[in-house]
PDB file of all heavy atoms in Angstrom:
ATOM      1  N   VAL A   6     107.486  75.291  94.926  1.00 94.00           N
ATOM      2  CA  VAL A   6     108.642  74.435  95.324  1.00 94.00           C
ATOM      3  C   VAL A   6     109.022  73.555  94.170  1.00 94.00           C
ATOM      4  O   VAL A   6     110.123  73.403  93.922  1.00 94.00           O
ATOM      5  CB  VAL A   6     108.209  73.774  96.585  1.00 94.00           C
ATOM      6  CG1 VAL A   6     109.199  72.634  96.902  1.00 94.00           C
ATOM      7  CG2 VAL A   6     108.039  74.638  97.858  1.00 94.00           C
ATOM      8  N   ASP A   7     107.969  72.905  93.637  1.00 95.00           N
ATOM      9  CA  ASP A   7     108.208  71.985  92.490  1.00 95.00           C
ATOM     10  C   ASP A   7     108.909  72.591  91.381  1.00 95.00           C
ATOM     11  O   ASP A   7     109.754  71.992  90.746  1.00 95.00           O
ATOM     12  CB  ASP A   7     106.886  71.319  92.066  1.00 95.00           C
ATOM     13  CG  ASP A   7     106.247  70.511  93.079  1.00 95.00           C
ATOM     14  OD1 ASP A   7     106.809  70.180  94.134  1.00 95.00           O
ATOM     15  OD2 ASP A   7     104.938  70.247  92.900  1.00 95.00           O
ATOM     16  N   LEU A   8     108.664  73.853  91.111  1.00 95.00           N
ATOM     17  CA  LEU A   8     109.323  74.599  89.997  1.00 95.00           C
ATOM     18  C   LEU A   8     110.591  75.176  90.326  1.00 95.00           C
ATOM     19  O   LEU A   8     111.379  75.733  89.447  1.00 95.00           O
ATOM     20  CB  LEU A   8     108.384  75.651  89.494  1.00 95.00           C
ATOM     21  CG  LEU A   8     107.176  75.237  88.820  1.00 95.00           C
ATOM     22  CD1 LEU A   8     106.252  76.415  88.503  1.00 95.00           C
ATOM     23  CD2 LEU A   8     107.425  74.485  87.456  1.00 95.00           C
ATOM     24  N   GLY A   9     111.083  75.112  91.706  1.00 95.00           N
ATOM     25  CA  GLY A   9     112.217  75.803  92.112  1.00 95.00           C
ATOM     26  C   GLY A   9     112.137  77.174  92.148  1.00 95.00           C
ATOM     27  O   GLY A   9     113.188  77.948  92.170  1.00 95.00           O
ATOM     28  N   GLY A  10     110.895  77.823  92.293  1.00 96.00           N
ATOM     29  CA  GLY A  10     110.745  79.180  92.250  1.00 96.00           C
ATOM     30  C   GLY A  10     110.591  79.863  93.673  1.00 96.00           C
ATOM     31  O   GLY A  10     110.527  81.203  93.632  1.00 96.00           O
ATOM     32  N   LEU A  11     110.582  79.056  94.667  1.00 96.00           N
ATOM     33  CA  LEU A  11     110.288  79.606  95.942  1.00 96.00           C
ATOM     34  C   LEU A  11     111.574  80.265  96.453  1.00 96.00           C
ATOM     35  O   LEU A  11     112.710  79.721  96.338  1.00 96.00           O
ATOM     36  CB  LEU A  11     109.781  78.621  96.952  1.00 96.00           C
ATOM     37  CG  LEU A  11     109.114  79.051  98.259  1.00 96.00           C
ATOM     38  CD1 LEU A  11     107.906  79.931  97.950  1.00 96.00           C
ATOM     39  CD2 LEU A  11     108.736  77.861  99.101  1.00 96.00           C
ATOM     40  N   ARG A  12     111.443  81.435  97.052  1.00 95.00           N
ATOM     41  CA  ARG A  12     112.669  82.137  97.640  1.00 95.00           C
ATOM     42  C   ARG A  12     113.339  81.226  98.618  1.00 95.00           C
ATOM     43  O   ARG A  12     112.826  80.480  99.342  1.00 95.00           O
ATOM     44  CB  ARG A  12     112.072  83.378  98.299  1.00 95.00           C
ATOM     45  CG  ARG A  12     113.250  84.308  98.787  1.00 95.00           C
ATOM     46  CD  ARG A  12     112.665  85.600  99.356  1.00 95.00           C
ATOM     47  NE  ARG A  12     111.900  85.176 100.572  1.00 95.00           N
ATOM     48  CZ  ARG A  12     112.230  85.569 101.805  1.00 95.00           C
ATOM     49  NH1 ARG A  12     113.078  86.454 102.006  1.00 95.00           N
ATOM     50  NH2 ARG A  12     111.429  85.181 102.750  1.00 95.00           N
ATOM     51  N   ASP A  13     114.801  81.272  98.717  1.00 94.00           N
ATOM     52  CA  ASP A  13     115.501  80.491  99.668  1.00 94.00           C
ATOM     53  C   ASP A  13     115.082  80.817 101.118  1.00 94.00           C
ATOM     54  O   ASP A  13     114.748  81.973 101.343  1.00 94.00           O
ATOM     55  CB  ASP A  13     116.980  80.877  99.484  1.00 94.00           C
ATOM     56  CG  ASP A  13     117.589  80.320  98.269  1.00 94.00           C
ATOM     57  OD1 ASP A  13     117.078  79.345  97.715  1.00 94.00           O
ATOM     58  OD2 ASP A  13     118.631  80.830  97.759  1.00 94.00           O
ATOM     59  N   GLY A  14     115.039  79.922 101.884  1.00 94.00           N
ATOM     60  CA  GLY A  14     114.682  80.065 103.202  1.00 94.00           C
ATOM     61  C   GLY A  14     113.154  79.887 103.600  1.00 94.00           C
ATOM     62  O   GLY A  14     112.760  79.878 104.822  1.00 94.00           O
ATOM     63  N   LEU A  15     112.377  79.726 102.631  1.00 95.00           N
ATOM     64  CA  LEU A  15     110.895  79.515 102.863  1.00 95.00           C
ATOM     65  C   LEU A  15     110.597  78.063 102.517  1.00 95.00           C
ATOM     66  O   LEU A  15     111.037  77.479 101.481  1.00 95.00           O
ATOM     67  CB  LEU A  15     110.092  80.376 101.946  1.00 95.00           C
ATOM     68  CG  LEU A  15     110.019  81.818 102.211  1.00 95.00           C
ATOM     69  CD1 LEU A  15     109.101  82.532 101.161  1.00 95.00           C
ATOM     70  CD2 LEU A  15     109.397  82.011 103.635  1.00 95.00           C
ATOM     71  N   ASP A  16     109.746  77.473 103.340  1.00 95.00           N
ATOM     72  CA  ASP A  16     109.217  76.146 103.107  1.00 95.00           C
ATOM     73  C   ASP A  16     107.669  76.331 102.657  1.00 95.00           C
ATOM     74  O   ASP A  16     107.225  77.417 102.611  1.00 95.00           O
ATOM     75  CB  ASP A  16     109.360  75.242 104.235  1.00 95.00           C
ATOM     76  CG  ASP A  16     108.669  75.560 105.510  1.00 95.00           C
ATOM     77  OD1 ASP A  16     107.671  76.432 105.415  1.00 95.00           O
ATOM     78  OD2 ASP A  16     109.084  75.231 106.655  1.00 95.00           O
ATOM     79  N   VAL A  17     107.052  75.198 102.377  1.00 96.00           N
ATOM     80  CA  VAL A  17     105.722  75.292 101.838  1.00 96.00           C
ATOM     81  C   VAL A  17     104.781  75.945 102.907  1.00 96.00           C
ATOM     82  O   VAL A  17     103.969  76.846 102.563  1.00 96.00           O
ATOM     83  CB  VAL A  17     105.190  73.891 101.466  1.00 96.00           C
ATOM     84  CG1 VAL A  17     103.693  73.956 101.036  1.00 96.00           C
ATOM     85  CG2 VAL A  17     105.969  73.439 100.217  1.00 96.00           C
ATOM     86  N   ALA A  18     104.897  75.545 104.179  1.00 96.00           N
ATOM     87  CA  ALA A  18     104.020  76.047 105.078  1.00 96.00           C
ATOM     88  C   ALA A  18     104.177  77.606 105.249  1.00 96.00           C
ATOM     89  O   ALA A  18     103.256  78.390 105.384  1.00 96.00           O
ATOM     90  CB  ALA A  18     104.250  75.380 106.479  1.00 96.00           C
ATOM     91  N   GLN A  19     105.384  78.071 105.317  1.00 97.00           N
ATOM     92  CA  GLN A  19     105.761  79.474 105.485  1.00 97.00           C
ATOM     93  C   GLN A  19     105.238  80.227 104.218  1.00 97.00           C
ATOM     94  O   GLN A  19     104.699  81.406 104.374  1.00 97.00           O
ATOM     95  CB  GLN A  19     107.243  79.748 105.556  1.00 97.00           C
ATOM     96  CG  GLN A  19     107.734  79.214 106.847  1.00 97.00           C
ATOM     97  CD  GLN A  19     109.355  79.228 106.951  1.00 97.00           C
ATOM     98  OE1 GLN A  19     109.928  78.902 105.883  1.00 97.00           O
ATOM     99  NE2 GLN A  19     109.924  79.506 108.108  1.00 97.00           N
ATOM    100  N   ALA A  20     105.479  79.675 103.078  1.00 96.00           N
ATOM    101  CA  ALA A  20     104.865  80.345 101.816  1.00 96.00           C
ATOM    102  C   ALA A  20     103.298  80.404 101.887  1.00 96.00           C
ATOM    103  O   ALA A  20     102.794  81.491 101.513  1.00 96.00           O
ATOM    104  CB  ALA A  20     105.336  79.552 100.569  1.00 96.00           C
ATOM    105  N   GLY A  21     102.716  79.398 102.401  1.00 95.00           N
ATOM    106  CA  GLY A  21     101.260  79.547 102.624  1.00 95.00           C
ATOM    107  C   GLY A  21     100.785  80.657 103.504  1.00 95.00           C
ATOM    108  O   GLY A  21      99.872  81.421 103.285  1.00 95.00           O
ATOM    109  N   ASP A  22     101.605  80.866 104.572  1.00 96.00           N
ATOM    110  CA  ASP A  22     101.373  81.990 105.501  1.00 96.00           C
ATOM    111  C   ASP A  22     101.556  83.305 104.759  1.00 96.00           C
ATOM    112  O   ASP A  22     100.825  84.191 104.918  1.00 96.00           O
ATOM    113  CB  ASP A  22     102.275  81.895 106.642  1.00 96.00           C
ATOM    114  CG  ASP A  22     101.979  80.738 107.577  1.00 96.00           C
ATOM    115  OD1 ASP A  22     100.867  80.183 107.521  1.00 96.00           O
ATOM    116  OD2 ASP A  22     102.826  80.431 108.322  1.00 96.00           O
ATOM    117  N   VAL A  23     102.628  83.473 103.932  1.00 96.00           N
ATOM    118  CA  VAL A  23     102.890  84.603 103.194  1.00 96.00           C
ATOM    119  C   VAL A  23     101.680  84.914 102.237  1.00 96.00           C
ATOM    120  O   VAL A  23     101.210  86.012 102.068  1.00 96.00           O
ATOM    121  CB  VAL A  23     104.244  84.589 102.471  1.00 96.00           C
ATOM    122  CG1 VAL A  23     104.411  85.778 101.532  1.00 96.00           C
ATOM    123  CG2 VAL A  23     105.301  84.567 103.530  1.00 96.00           C
ATOM    124  N   PHE A  24     101.269  83.881 101.526  1.00 95.00           N
ATOM    125  CA  PHE A  24     100.124  84.052 100.604  1.00 95.00           C
ATOM    126  C   PHE A  24      98.852  84.556 101.365  1.00 95.00           C
ATOM    127  O   PHE A  24      98.242  85.463 100.886  1.00 95.00           O
ATOM    128  CB  PHE A  24      99.712  82.728  99.904  1.00 95.00           C
ATOM    129  CG  PHE A  24     100.485  82.374  98.658  1.00 95.00           C
ATOM    130  CD1 PHE A  24     101.469  81.435  98.624  1.00 95.00           C
ATOM    131  CD2 PHE A  24     100.274  83.161  97.491  1.00 95.00           C
ATOM    132  CE1 PHE A  24     102.128  81.179  97.399  1.00 95.00           C
ATOM    133  CE2 PHE A  24     100.916  82.901  96.348  1.00 95.00           C
ATOM    134  CZ  PHE A  24     101.822  81.915  96.320  1.00 95.00           C
ATOM    135  N   TRP A  25      98.651  83.988 102.549  1.00 95.00           N
ATOM    136  CA  TRP A  25      97.498  84.410 103.356  1.00 95.00           C
ATOM    137  C   TRP A  25      97.677  85.902 103.744  1.00 95.00           C
ATOM    138  O   TRP A  25      96.676  86.690 103.699  1.00 95.00           O
ATOM    139  CB  TRP A  25      97.229  83.503 104.442  1.00 95.00           C
ATOM    140  CG  TRP A  25      96.081  83.925 105.271  1.00 95.00           C
ATOM    141  CD1 TRP A  25      96.065  84.566 106.508  1.00 95.00           C
ATOM    142  CD2 TRP A  25      94.730  83.942 104.757  1.00 95.00           C
ATOM    143  NE1 TRP A  25      94.807  84.805 106.922  1.00 95.00           N
ATOM    144  CE2 TRP A  25      93.889  84.367 105.930  1.00 95.00           C
ATOM    145  CE3 TRP A  25      94.132  83.432 103.748  1.00 95.00           C
ATOM    146  CZ2 TRP A  25      92.588  84.586 105.853  1.00 95.00           C
ATOM    147  CZ3 TRP A  25      92.674  83.477 103.626  1.00 95.00           C
ATOM    148  CH2 TRP A  25      91.987  84.047 104.628  1.00 95.00           C
ATOM    149  N   PHE A  26      98.971  86.217 104.266  1.00 95.00           N
ATOM    150  CA  PHE A  26      99.107  87.607 104.682  1.00 95.00           C
ATOM    151  C   PHE A  26      98.743  88.651 103.492  1.00 95.00           C
ATOM    152  O   PHE A  26      98.178  89.651 103.651  1.00 95.00           O
ATOM    153  CB  PHE A  26     100.534  87.750 104.998  1.00 95.00           C
ATOM    154  CG  PHE A  26     100.851  89.159 105.533  1.00 95.00           C
ATOM    155  CD1 PHE A  26     100.588  89.586 106.703  1.00 95.00           C
ATOM    156  CD2 PHE A  26     101.611  90.005 104.640  1.00 95.00           C
ATOM    157  CE1 PHE A  26     100.874  90.946 107.063  1.00 95.00           C
ATOM    158  CE2 PHE A  26     101.926  91.355 104.968  1.00 95.00           C
ATOM    159  CZ  PHE A  26     101.560  91.798 106.231  1.00 95.00           C
ATOM    160  N   TYR A  27      99.287  88.339 102.263  1.00 95.00           N
ATOM    161  CA  TYR A  27      99.085  89.300 101.167  1.00 95.00           C
ATOM    162  C   TYR A  27      97.813  89.137 100.565  1.00 95.00           C
ATOM    163  O   TYR A  27      97.235  90.184 100.028  1.00 95.00           O
ATOM    164  CB  TYR A  27     100.214  89.201 100.179  1.00 95.00           C
ATOM    165  CG  TYR A  27     101.528  89.789 100.516  1.00 95.00           C
ATOM    166  CD1 TYR A  27     102.562  88.963 101.109  1.00 95.00           C
ATOM    167  CD2 TYR A  27     101.674  91.157 100.641  1.00 95.00           C
ATOM    168  CE1 TYR A  27     103.717  89.476 101.583  1.00 95.00           C
ATOM    169  CE2 TYR A  27     102.893  91.668 101.143  1.00 95.00           C
ATOM    170  CZ  TYR A  27     103.907  90.817 101.475  1.00 95.00           C
ATOM    171  OH  TYR A  27     104.978  91.412 101.976  1.00 95.00           O
ATOM    172  N   PHE A  28      97.142  87.939 100.481  1.00 93.00           N
ATOM    173  CA  PHE A  28      96.041  87.766  99.685  1.00 93.00           C
ATOM    174  C   PHE A  28      94.711  87.335 100.423  1.00 93.00           C
ATOM    175  O   PHE A  28      93.751  87.144  99.929  1.00 93.00           O
ATOM    176  CB  PHE A  28      96.256  86.722  98.507  1.00 93.00           C
ATOM    177  CG  PHE A  28      97.283  87.186  97.656  1.00 93.00           C
ATOM    178  CD1 PHE A  28      98.511  86.468  97.593  1.00 93.00           C
ATOM    179  CD2 PHE A  28      97.116  88.345  96.861  1.00 93.00           C
ATOM    180  CE1 PHE A  28      99.455  86.996  96.683  1.00 93.00           C
ATOM    181  CE2 PHE A  28      98.115  88.791  95.955  1.00 93.00           C
ATOM    182  CZ  PHE A  28      99.360  88.136  96.003  1.00 93.00           C
ATOM    183  N   GLY A  29      94.829  87.381 101.822  1.00 90.00           N
ATOM    184  CA  GLY A  29      93.674  87.182 102.638  1.00 90.00           C
ATOM    185  C   GLY A  29      92.880  88.504 102.633  1.00 90.00           C
ATOM    186  O   GLY A  29      93.180  89.456 102.009  1.00 90.00           O
ATOM    187  N   TYR A  30      91.737  88.378 103.335  1.00 87.00           N
ATOM    188  CA  TYR A  30      90.715  89.486 103.243  1.00 87.00           C
ATOM    189  C   TYR A  30      91.351  90.808 103.803  1.00 87.00           C
ATOM    190  O   TYR A  30      91.038  91.854 103.325  1.00 87.00           O
ATOM    191  CB  TYR A  30      89.474  89.122 103.938  1.00 87.00           C
ATOM    192  CG  TYR A  30      88.775  87.891 103.358  1.00 87.00           C
ATOM    193  CD1 TYR A  30      88.674  86.732 104.116  1.00 87.00           C
ATOM    194  CD2 TYR A  30      88.177  87.972 102.091  1.00 87.00           C
ATOM    195  CE1 TYR A  30      88.087  85.638 103.562  1.00 87.00           C
ATOM    196  CE2 TYR A  30      87.594  86.860 101.554  1.00 87.00           C
ATOM    197  CZ  TYR A  30      87.440  85.669 102.268  1.00 87.00           C
ATOM    198  OH  TYR A  30      86.856  84.628 101.733  1.00 87.00           O
ATOM    199  N   ALA A  31      92.015  90.591 104.873  1.00 92.00           N
ATOM    200  CA  ALA A  31      92.355  91.836 105.657  1.00 92.00           C
ATOM    201  C   ALA A  31      93.184  92.905 104.856  1.00 92.00           C
ATOM    202  O   ALA A  31      93.022  94.079 104.967  1.00 92.00           O
ATOM    203  CB  ALA A  31      93.029  91.462 106.952  1.00 92.00           C
ATOM    204  N   GLY A  32      94.235  92.401 104.203  1.00 91.00           N
ATOM    205  CA  GLY A  32      95.204  93.388 103.601  1.00 91.00           C
ATOM    206  C   GLY A  32      94.472  94.232 102.596  1.00 91.00           C
ATOM    207  O   GLY A  32      94.649  95.456 102.631  1.00 91.00           O
ATOM    208  N   LEU A  33      93.675  93.631 101.664  1.00 93.00           N
ATOM    209  CA  LEU A  33      93.010  94.494 100.630  1.00 93.00           C
ATOM    210  C   LEU A  33      92.019  95.490 101.308  1.00 93.00           C
ATOM    211  O   LEU A  33      92.107  96.742 101.013  1.00 93.00           O
ATOM    212  CB  LEU A  33      92.223  93.699  99.766  1.00 93.00           C
ATOM    213  CG  LEU A  33      91.480  94.338  98.647  1.00 93.00           C
ATOM    214  CD1 LEU A  33      92.501  95.108  97.693  1.00 93.00           C
ATOM    215  CD2 LEU A  33      90.607  93.340  97.842  1.00 93.00           C
ATOM    216  N   PHE A  34      91.317  95.037 102.298  1.00 93.00           N
ATOM    217  CA  PHE A  34      90.347  95.981 102.907  1.00 93.00           C
ATOM    218  C   PHE A  34      91.058  97.025 103.741  1.00 93.00           C
ATOM    219  O   PHE A  34      90.525  98.255 103.845  1.00 93.00           O
ATOM    220  CB  PHE A  34      89.297  95.215 103.702  1.00 93.00           C
ATOM    221  CG  PHE A  34      88.456  94.424 102.623  1.00 93.00           C
ATOM    222  CD1 PHE A  34      88.416  93.164 102.614  1.00 93.00           C
ATOM    223  CD2 PHE A  34      87.741  95.102 101.677  1.00 93.00           C
ATOM    224  CE1 PHE A  34      87.677  92.399 101.746  1.00 93.00           C
ATOM    225  CE2 PHE A  34      86.965  94.403 100.691  1.00 93.00           C
ATOM    226  CZ  PHE A  34      86.892  93.001 100.776  1.00 93.00           C
ATOM    227  N   VAL A  35      92.072  96.653 104.465  1.00 94.00           N
ATOM    228  CA  VAL A  35      92.816  97.727 105.234  1.00 94.00           C
ATOM    229  C   VAL A  35      93.291  98.738 104.232  1.00 94.00           C
ATOM    230  O   VAL A  35      93.287  99.953 104.505  1.00 94.00           O
ATOM    231  CB  VAL A  35      93.926  97.112 106.097  1.00 94.00           C
ATOM    232  CG1 VAL A  35      94.880  98.144 106.519  1.00 94.00           C
ATOM    233  CG2 VAL A  35      93.302  96.298 107.191  1.00 94.00           C
ATOM    234  N   LEU A  36      93.924  98.437 103.176  1.00 94.00           N
ATOM    235  CA  LEU A  36      94.554  99.331 102.233  1.00 94.00           C
ATOM    236  C   LEU A  36      93.453 100.235 101.613  1.00 94.00           C
ATOM    237  O   LEU A  36      93.617 101.422 101.514  1.00 94.00           O
ATOM    238  CB  LEU A  36      95.307  98.736 101.143  1.00 94.00           C
ATOM    239  CG  LEU A  36      96.653  98.011 101.672  1.00 94.00           C
ATOM    240  CD1 LEU A  36      97.362  97.179 100.575  1.00 94.00           C
ATOM    241  CD2 LEU A  36      97.639  99.046 102.226  1.00 94.00           C
ATOM    242  N   HIS A  37      92.312  99.584 101.217  1.00 95.00           N
ATOM    243  CA  HIS A  37      91.278 100.324 100.621  1.00 95.00           C
ATOM    244  C   HIS A  37      90.444 101.101 101.496  1.00 95.00           C
ATOM    245  O   HIS A  37      90.280 102.435 101.426  1.00 95.00           O
ATOM    246  CB  HIS A  37      90.299  99.413  99.812  1.00 95.00           C
ATOM    247  CG  HIS A  37      89.248 100.101  99.143  1.00 95.00           C
ATOM    248  ND1 HIS A  37      87.974 100.213  99.752  1.00 95.00           N
ATOM    249  CD2 HIS A  37      89.177 100.620  97.894  1.00 95.00           C
ATOM    250  CE1 HIS A  37      87.212 100.903  98.921  1.00 95.00           C
ATOM    251  NE2 HIS A  37      88.015 101.218  97.753  1.00 95.00           N
ATOM    252  N   ASP A  38      89.925 100.576 102.547  1.00 96.00           N
ATOM    253  CA  ASP A  38      89.045 101.159 103.453  1.00 96.00           C
ATOM    254  C   ASP A  38      89.682 102.044 104.530  1.00 96.00           C
ATOM    255  O   ASP A  38      89.265 103.235 104.731  1.00 96.00           O
ATOM    256  CB  ASP A  38      88.091 100.176 104.284  1.00 96.00           C
ATOM    257  CG  ASP A  38      87.262  99.306 103.293  1.00 96.00           C
ATOM    258  OD1 ASP A  38      87.036  99.680 102.109  1.00 96.00           O
ATOM    259  OD2 ASP A  38      86.863  98.179 103.781  1.00 96.00           O
ATOM    260  N   ASP A  39      90.728 101.668 105.074  1.00 96.00           N
ATOM    261  CA  ASP A  39      91.371 102.422 106.124  1.00 96.00           C
ATOM    262  C   ASP A  39      92.372 103.414 105.509  1.00 96.00           C
ATOM    263  O   ASP A  39      92.495 104.545 106.009  1.00 96.00           O
ATOM    264  CB  ASP A  39      92.084 101.535 107.122  1.00 96.00           C
ATOM    265  CG  ASP A  39      91.080 100.628 107.878  1.00 96.00           C
ATOM    266  OD1 ASP A  39      89.870 100.895 107.898  1.00 96.00           O
ATOM    267  OD2 ASP A  39      91.584  99.608 108.500  1.00 96.00           O
ATOM    268  N   ASN A  40      93.107 103.010 104.575  1.00 95.00           N
ATOM    269  CA  ASN A  40      94.162 103.889 103.952  1.00 95.00           C
ATOM    270  C   ASN A  40      93.701 104.639 102.716  1.00 95.00           C
ATOM    271  O   ASN A  40      94.441 105.430 102.158  1.00 95.00           O
ATOM    272  CB  ASN A  40      95.401 103.063 103.594  1.00 95.00           C
ATOM    273  CG  ASN A  40      96.040 102.463 104.821  1.00 95.00           C
ATOM    274  OD1 ASN A  40      95.591 102.656 105.979  1.00 95.00           O
ATOM    275  ND2 ASN A  40      97.141 101.703 104.598  1.00 95.00           N
ATOM    276  N   VAL A  41      92.495 104.374 102.371  1.00 96.00           N
ATOM    277  CA  VAL A  41      91.898 105.041 101.167  1.00 96.00           C
ATOM    278  C   VAL A  41      92.609 104.880  99.852  1.00 96.00           C
ATOM    279  O   VAL A  41      92.817 105.806  99.055  1.00 96.00           O
ATOM    280  CB  VAL A  41      91.522 106.579 101.534  1.00 96.00           C
ATOM    281  CG1 VAL A  41      90.589 107.182 100.522  1.00 96.00           C
ATOM    282  CG2 VAL A  41      91.063 106.693 103.000  1.00 96.00           C
ATOM    283  N   TRP A  42      93.235 103.690  99.715  1.00 95.00           N
ATOM    284  CA  TRP A  42      93.795 103.356  98.421  1.00 95.00           C
ATOM    285  C   TRP A  42      92.638 102.845  97.514  1.00 95.00           C
ATOM    286  O   TRP A  42      91.737 102.313  97.894  1.00 95.00           O
ATOM    287  CB  TRP A  42      94.811 102.316  98.572  1.00 95.00           C
ATOM    288  CG  TRP A  42      96.105 102.590  99.235  1.00 95.00           C
ATOM    289  CD1 TRP A  42      96.338 103.712 100.003  1.00 95.00           C
ATOM    290  CD2 TRP A  42      97.326 101.993  99.131  1.00 95.00           C
ATOM    291  NE1 TRP A  42      97.622 103.698 100.598  1.00 95.00           N
ATOM    292  CE2 TRP A  42      98.286 102.678 100.056  1.00 95.00           C
ATOM    293  CE3 TRP A  42      97.732 100.707  98.582  1.00 95.00           C
ATOM    294  CZ2 TRP A  42      99.537 102.125 100.240  1.00 95.00           C
ATOM    295  CZ3 TRP A  42      99.054 100.350  98.645  1.00 95.00           C
ATOM    296  CH2 TRP A  42      99.961 101.080  99.492  1.00 95.00           C
ATOM    297  N   SER A  43      92.892 103.070  96.161  1.00 95.00           N
ATOM    298  CA  SER A  43      91.986 102.477  95.200  1.00 95.00           C
ATOM    299  C   SER A  43      92.238 100.994  95.244  1.00 95.00           C
ATOM    300  O   SER A  43      93.331 100.476  95.682  1.00 95.00           O
ATOM    301  CB  SER A  43      92.217 102.954  93.771  1.00 95.00           C
ATOM    302  OG  SER A  43      93.474 102.586  93.297  1.00 95.00           O
TER     303      SER A  43
END
Side-chain angles (χ1 to χ4, degrees):
V6 169
D7 294 345
L8 293 171
L11 197 61
R12 188 178 62 116
D13 289 338
L15 286 179
D16 61 26
V17 173
Q19 292 167 325
D22 292 342
V23 172
F24 272 110
W25 182 249
F26 177 79
Y27 285 104
F28 299 115
Y30 299 112
L33 179 64
F34 293 115
V35 165
L36 292 174
H37 179 267
D38 297 343
D39 298 340
N40 295 2
V41 195
W42 288 21
S43 69

